[in-house]
């Protein structure tokens, strides 16, 4: 996860570096002031007089006056900010502005603004700018803000840094009424799915490559059509058996999505969950755009399942995906196993699984699907070394590794 964390904290590191520089400068000035104060004491002790006492009181009052001034600004300072809407979509700019205002009778100086930078970006925002506001003055900044990830989090101005005239003290003013954005995942329009471009060739190989009829049987599950019952196998085993003809009869498409929260840290789980849902929507939109029906399922306390029949029903699917709540207790292998109790999965020609990690239990489930004549495409969203995963793949279990911060076009 090093690449991911590095990307999220680049601006934070920059802010911390700037803070250390300011802190170093302030410490130098404080040491200078302390040296002058000690010098004033020495002057009073050895020489006395009005000048010496005036010098002493002047040096003593400088930090006191600076601190009082800074506290007055801290409690009287006003900042207003707003966006065009709190409901946003990843990577789509939204109008945003903030206003710094001085409603007092004395000037404000040394005011700088810090933005939330891990999950959003303010366009053309000048770095290292300090504002000075005369009495009755205000400064307005209008721009665009872009959210990077799906989720709910703070955007815009996070805090205001206030510095006194002599730059001896600095206070952080946490902005009240912070903006909480509700960010939906974006839809990536894929020109093709690289993982299945050879499917027509694969179908012909399945249809003609075997010396015996390519007919497989499996146990009946709820939702199967009685037209698919293999009566000879049913009579032989004493229970309903369903026939499948690999590559010819099953034409359905199923998409399964991992909804487990894999970390407690927002900087870790937010980009990952965003990419998982982005891939989920991308596969769905690819088939909906071709007016191809697909079945989808994911865990959400219970297994949520549904169908999308072409582009006209995609909007409802998009809203359902946007509202998915990831949960640490939602094990993907359990959700997929429950989904496999219904006939929609078994009637599929291809099952797409969008996951964060491969487990022995998940591999065993995909083996069962493959044995039923189904091709499994596993999109693994991770920043770990893909070599160990790729070698576990085969022509019928295709494993595609997608880095968390990578684009989907050309990878899926």
């Amino acid at each position: 996860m090093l690449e991911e964390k590095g990307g999220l904290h680049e601006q934070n590191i920059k802010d911390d570096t700037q803070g250390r520089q300011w802190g170093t400068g302030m410490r130098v000035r404080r040491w200078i002031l302390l040296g002058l104060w000690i010098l004033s004491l020495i002057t009073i002790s050895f020489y006395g007089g009005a000048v010496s006492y005036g010098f002493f009181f002047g040096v003593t009052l400088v930090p006191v006056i600076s601190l009082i001034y800074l506290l007055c600004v801290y409690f009287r300072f006003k900042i207003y900010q707003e966006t065009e809407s709190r409901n946003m979509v990843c990577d789509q700019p939204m109008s945003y502005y903030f206003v710094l205002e001085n409603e007092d009778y004395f000037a404000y100086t040394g005011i700088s603004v810090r933005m939330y930078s891990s999950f959003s970006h303010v366009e053309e925002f000048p770095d290292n700018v300090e504002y000075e506001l005369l009495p009755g003055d205000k400064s307005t900044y209008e721009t665009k803000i872009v959210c990077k990830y799906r989720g709910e989090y703070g955007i815009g101005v996070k805090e205001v840094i206030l510095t006194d005239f002599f730059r001896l003290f600095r206070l952080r003013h946490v902005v009240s009424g912070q903006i909480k954005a509700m960010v939906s995942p974006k839809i990536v329009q894929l020109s093709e799915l690289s993982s299945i471009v050879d499917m027509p060739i694969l179908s012909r190989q399945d249809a003609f490559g075997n010396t015996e009829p390519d007919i497989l049987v499996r146990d009946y599950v709820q939702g199967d059509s009685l037209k698919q019952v293999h009566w000879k196998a049913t009579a032989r085993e004493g229970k309903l058996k369903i026939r499948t003809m690999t590559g010819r009869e099953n034409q359905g498409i199923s998409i399964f999505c991992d909804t487990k929260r894999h970390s407690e840290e927002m900087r870790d789980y937010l980009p990952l969950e965003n990419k998982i849902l982005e891939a989920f929507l991308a596969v769905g939109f690819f088939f909906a755009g071709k007016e191809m029906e697909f079945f989808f399922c994911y865990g959400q306390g219970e297994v949520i399942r549904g169908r999308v029949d072409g582009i006209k029903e995609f909007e409802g699917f998009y809203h359902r995906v946007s509202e998915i709540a990831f949960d640490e207790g939602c094990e993907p292998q359990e959700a997929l196993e429950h989904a496999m109790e219904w006939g929609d999965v078994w009637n599929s020609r291809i099952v797409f699984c969008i996951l964060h990690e491969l487990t022995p239990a998940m591999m065993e489930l995909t083996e069962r699907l493959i044995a039923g004549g189904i091709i499994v495409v596993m999109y693994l969203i991770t920043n770990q070394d893909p070599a160990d995963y790729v070698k576990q793949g085969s022509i019928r279990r295709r494993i595609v590794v997608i880095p968390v911060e990578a684009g989907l076009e050309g990878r899926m």
Side-chain angles (χ1 to χ4, degrees):
M1 306 293 285
L2 293 178
E3 179 183 345
E4 171 188 330
K5 292 183 179 179
L8 287 176
H9 294 296
E10 181 178 347
Q11 182 63 41
N12 288 343
I13 292 172
K14 182 178 180 180
D15 291 341
D16 292 342
T17 301
Q18 185 183 68
R20 286 194 295 270
Q21 291 174 347
W22 287 349
T24 301
M26 284 185 176
R27 282 193 294 272
V28 171
R29 284 185 285 274
R30 289 171 185 172
W31 279 111
I32 292 174
L33 187 64
L34 179 61
L36 292 175
W37 187 75
I38 294 174
L39 180 62
S40 67
L41 288 179
I42 295 173
T43 304
I44 291 174
S45 301
F46 287 94
Y47 300 102
V51 175
S52 299
Y53 278 100
F55 179 53
F56 168 77
F57 285 114
V59 174
T60 303
L61 288 175
V62 164
V64 176
I65 295 173
S66 292
L67 188 57
I68 292 173
Y69 164 80
L70 199 57
L71 290 174
C72 289
V73 175
Y74 181 87
F75 289 109
R76 298 284 296 169
F77 177 78
K78 304 292 183 183
I79 181 170
Y80 308 95
Q81 61 175 337
E82 193 56 76
T83 59
E84 182 180 336
S85 173
R86 303 295 175 97
N87 298 313
M88 306 176 70
V89 178
C90 289
D91 293 340
Q92 290 190 7
M94 181 75 72
S95 296
Y96 166 76
Y97 74 90
F98 69 86
V99 179
L100 306 175
E101 189 166 357
N102 182 357
E103 299 176 350
D104 279 316
Y105 299 101
F106 57 92
Y108 295 166
T109 187
I111 301 172
S112 57
V113 175
R114 283 191 179 181
M115 299 285 183
Y116 283 101
S117 56
S118 294
F119 310 130
S120 61
H121 168 68
V122 178
E123 295 182 348
E124 300 179 358
F125 180 71
D127 292 329
N128 304 325
V129 172
E130 287 194 349
Y131 298 88
E132 293 186 3
L133 300 175
L134 296 176
D137 241 354
K138 69 177 181 179
S139 177
T140 304
Y141 191 84
E142 297 185 18
T143 182
K144 301 281 187 179
I145 191 168
V146 180
C147 292
K148 302 176 184 178
Y149 308 111
R150 173 263 191 188
E152 181 180 2
Y153 46 85
I155 62 173
V157 178
K158 178 181 181 181
E159 59 187 10
V160 178
I161 309 300
L162 306 174
T163 310
D164 65 289
F165 283 99
F166 298 101
R167 297 187 175 276
L168 296 173
F169 305 103
R170 187 178 66 197
L171 292 178
R172 297 174 183 267
H173 182 281
V174 179
V175 177
S176 59
Q178 295 174 349
I179 300 176
K180 283 279 189 179
M182 298 287 295
V183 188
S184 300
K186 68 178 180 180
I187 300 173
V188 178
Q189 301 183 30
L190 302 174
S191 57
E192 67 175 11
L193 287 179
S194 304
S195 54
I196 59 168
V197 290
D198 61 335
M199 282 299 294
I201 300 175
L202 184 61
S203 297
R204 288 193 292 271
Q205 289 174 340
D206 285 341
F208 304 111
N210 297 320
T211 58
E212 297 180 1
D214 190 14
I215 300 175
L216 302 172
V217 294
R218 57 174 173 80
D219 291 340
Y220 171 86
V221 295
Q222 186 177 355
D224 282 336
S225 171
L226 292 179
K227 295 180 181 180
Q228 295 177 271
V229 174
H230 193 293
W231 295 110
K232 288 184 179 180
T234 297
R236 184 169 59 249
E237 298 191 23
K239 59 181 178 179
L240 284 176
K241 305 294 289 188
I242 298 297
R243 63 193 291 273
T244 63
M245 296 179 67
T246 304
R248 288 183 287 175
E249 185 169 298
N250 289 357
Q251 296 297 323
I253 297 164
S254 293
I255 310 173
F256 171 78
C257 184
D258 174 5
T259 55
K260 178 180 179 180
R261 176 153 291 172
H262 293 274
S263 173
E264 296 181 355
E265 295 292 332
M266 181 177 282
R267 65 175 180 267
D268 294 332
Y269 72 70
L270 207 59
L272 172 63
E273 294 174 5
N274 175 74
K275 188 59 63 176
I276 287 175
L277 297 187
E278 196 176 290
F280 194 15
L281 289 170
V283 178
F285 188 78
F286 178 82
F287 290 109
K290 296 183 179 300
E291 297 300 331
M292 297 175 65
E293 183 185 53
F294 65 89
F295 166 75
F296 66 89
C297 53
Y298 54 88
Q300 201 80 143
E302 58 181 0
V303 176
I304 305 298
R305 51 196 290 271
R307 288 179 179 273
V308 176
D309 187 7
I311 198 67
K312 65 181 181 295
E313 296 184 1
F314 182 80
E315 184 176 355
F317 171 67
Y318 176 81
H319 288 304
R320 293 180 74 169
V321 172
S322 299
E323 294 172 357
I324 287 177
F326 286 75
D327 184 3
E328 292 180 1
C330 186
E331 294 296 336
Q333 58 268 17
E334 294 179 4
L336 180 57
E337 188 169 20
H338 289 156
M340 289 167 59
E341 296 175 358
W342 299 86
D344 302 275
V345 172
W346 290 107
N347 292 331
S348 298
R349 182 185 186 188
I350 310 174
V351 173
F352 294 90
C353 296
I354 301 166
L355 310 167
H356 173 56
E357 60 185 7
L358 291 182
T359 62
M362 185 62 70
M363 296 298 282
E364 190 274 333
L365 287 176
T366 59
E367 286 290 348
R368 288 167 54 189
L369 292 173
I370 293 168
I374 298 171
I375 295 172
V376 179
V377 179
M378 308 178 78
Y379 294 120
L380 196 60
I381 314 297
T382 181
N383 283 328
Q384 297 180 5
D385 186 358
D388 292 337
Y389 299 114
V390 173
K391 64 185 181 183
Q392 298 181 58
S394 64
I395 193 66
R396 288 203 164 273
R397 180 168 57 203
R398 307 173 182 206
I399 301 176
V400 180
V401 179
I402 302 174
V404 174
E405 298 290 351
L408 299 180
E409 182 65 46
R411 293 180 180 271
M412 298 190 70

